[in-house]
Amino acid sequence: MMAGGKSSAMFRPRTVGEAVEMLAAAHESGTAVALLGGGTDLVPALRSGERSAETVVALRRVLELRVRGAGADSLTIGAGVTYTDLDGWSLSPGLARAARVVGSVQIRNTGTVGGALGSARPGGDLLTFLTAADAEVLTVSPRGPERMPLPRFLADGLAPDALVTAVRLARPGGPQVYLKIGGRQAAYPAVVSCAVLVDRVRHRLTCAIGGVGLLPVRMGEAERYARDEVDWSTGTVSSSAARRFGDLVVEAAARVSPALPAGPRGSAEYRWHAAGVLAGRAFARCLHLTAPPVGEPARGSAAGGQP
Ligand SMILES: Cc1cc2nc3c(=O)[nH]c(=O)nc-3n(C[C@H](O)[C@H](O)[C@H](O)COP(=O)(O)OP(=O)(O)OC[C@H]3O[C@@H](n4cnc5c(N)ncnc54)[C@H](O)[C@@H]3O)c2cc1C
């Protein structure tokens, strides 16, 4: 493989154990090493010289990373599982939806869960969903396996001799909706994304927004509002509650620090506004709205994109 004009040595382990040994050997000898999942982010970065690696450890042949499974309470998704593998997965409809709206078919066929975590793009679709789902990240290194909450993984980063083996999340406890706004759907990650998950058993609603901070953020105040406002005996809520939920998300998005720097793909104000619109819509889709109080106008739709 060529990296910034130089070629890197490519290793193709067949087991997680072999991959860890290769990482450890590279780390000990001070060799710059990169893990290769589907290569949709890494290969362009190596070619452009944005990243360099003397050794590339390609994970595609590690079959144990390509497994998804369901336990009594949880779902485990291997780091080598692709977006296409997740599309249509009935055990996690929200995750399936987030995977379905990623990039183009080529990106979905090759991009992996491990790569999404490794890249940790601010607009990464899976990251937004997994943040709302309270996911845990499973890693392994020469020191053994470890599991940690997604926010800690994202804040601390991965040790140079470790790899992600899987993510784990709870089985759905109710409706899940994932919405995003993107410039050109097939070519770019989301400008703003929103995941809302309802847990009817625990009387809980979680909401994460991507694209307003450097990482997806949970909307704690809006979540608490939803918990108090939803009629959990029927799983319904008034349409004015959807508007208030959206407003709380706008206010929280504007307080996110550090904020994502303003870019060509939308001012900060646009992204806050879009976050509120997506959140209000996702909230309304998850919970069957009851009729709005008399005289109250219906919620307008203000954001473009394809939610
Ligand atoms: C044209 C285009 C459109 C895109 N559109 C979207 C979109 O709509 N939504 C979206 O979310 N993303 C999008 N992406 C980003 C990309 O597809 C994802 O980030 C993808 O999940 C990366 O996975 P990969 O397997 O290709 O990772 P790679 O490119 O192989 O690796 C990415 C990073 O993760 C590391 N890594 C890989 N596997 C592991 C592992 N098991 N453990 C630890 N680190 C690992 C690598 O070392 C590297 O640093 C797009 C990319 C392109 C090029």
Side-chain angles (χ1 to χ4, degrees):
M1 174 174 288
M2 296 295 285
K6 295 184 206 149
S7 60
S8 327
M10 173 82 87
F11 292 94
R12 300 178 193 278
R14 289 189 177 271
T15 64
V16 169
E18 278 177 24
V20 172
E21 278 171 26
M22 288 168 187
L23 282 177
H27 185 55
E28 275 164 26
S29 65
T31 307
V33 61
L35 289 163
L36 179 71
T40 58
D41 282 338
L42 184 67
V43 171
L46 289 176
R47 288 208 174 121
S48 68
E50 188 190 320
R51 278 194 62 181
S52 61
E54 294 158 82
T55 298
V56 172
V57 177
L59 300 172
R60 196 156 178 78
R61 292 186 185 166
V62 184
L63 295 183
E64 60 200 287
L65 294 178
R66 300 181 69 179
V67 172
R68 354 163 263 206
D73 304 318
S74 66
L75 303 174
T76 305
I77 302 148
V81 168
T82 65
Y83 295 112
T84 299
D85 295 331
L86 291 175
D87 183 1
W89 197 28
S90 59
L91 289 180
S92 185
L95 189 62
R97 171 70 186 162
R100 193 174 315 138
V101 296
V102 166
S104 59
V105 69
Q106 290 88 347
I107 298 291
R108 293 196 292 278
N109 282 342
T110 44
T112 63
V113 170
L117 290 164
S119 291
R121 290 173 175 239
D125 290 296
L126 287 196
L127 289 196
T128 304
F129 182 84
L130 293 174
T131 298
D134 285 323
E136 280 185 327
V137 182
L138 280 61
T139 65
V140 67
S141 74
R143 296 166 297 288
E146 211 187 326
R147 49 198 277 188
M148 65 195 87
L150 177 63
R152 202 181 104 210
F153 170 85
L154 293 173
D156 294 354
L158 190 64
D161 56 353
L163 74 140
V164 174
T165 53
V167 288
R168 186 165 290 158
L169 56 155
R171 274 175 173 264
Q176 306 182 331
V177 170
Y178 180 78
L179 300 174
K180 77 189 258 191
I181 293 176
R184 275 166 49 212
Q185 207 58 36
Y188 298 105
V191 176
V192 178
S193 57
C194 170
V196 172
L197 279 64
V198 174
D199 185 336
R200 284 190 174 145
V201 180
R202 294 180 190 79
H203 296 180
R204 192 166 170 255
L205 179 148
T206 55
C207 172
I209 298 290
V212 295
L214 296 177
L215 294 169
V217 273
R218 285 282 288 270
M219 297 285 122
E221 204 177 327
E223 291 181 3
R224 287 187 288 279
Y225 171 78
R227 185 192 56 208
D228 297 340
E229 205 63 22
V230 172
D231 177 349
W232 291 106
S233 63
T234 57
T236 60
V237 76
S238 74
S239 58
S240 59
R243 183 181 303 122
R244 179 71 188 133
F245 186 82
D247 290 345
L248 287 170
V249 166
V250 175
E251 288 165 22
R255 288 195 300 267
V256 169
S257 176
L260 203 60
R265 301 179 58 214
S267 66
E269 288 77 10
Y270 167 75
R271 283 186 263 124
W272 302 336
H273 171 74
V277 173
L278 291 188
R281 252 181 229 177
F283 181 88
R285 284 190 200 174
C286 279
L287 301 156
H288 307 286
L289 294 184
T290 51
V294 177
E296 192 167 5
R299 183 173 176 77
S301 73
Q306 67 89 54

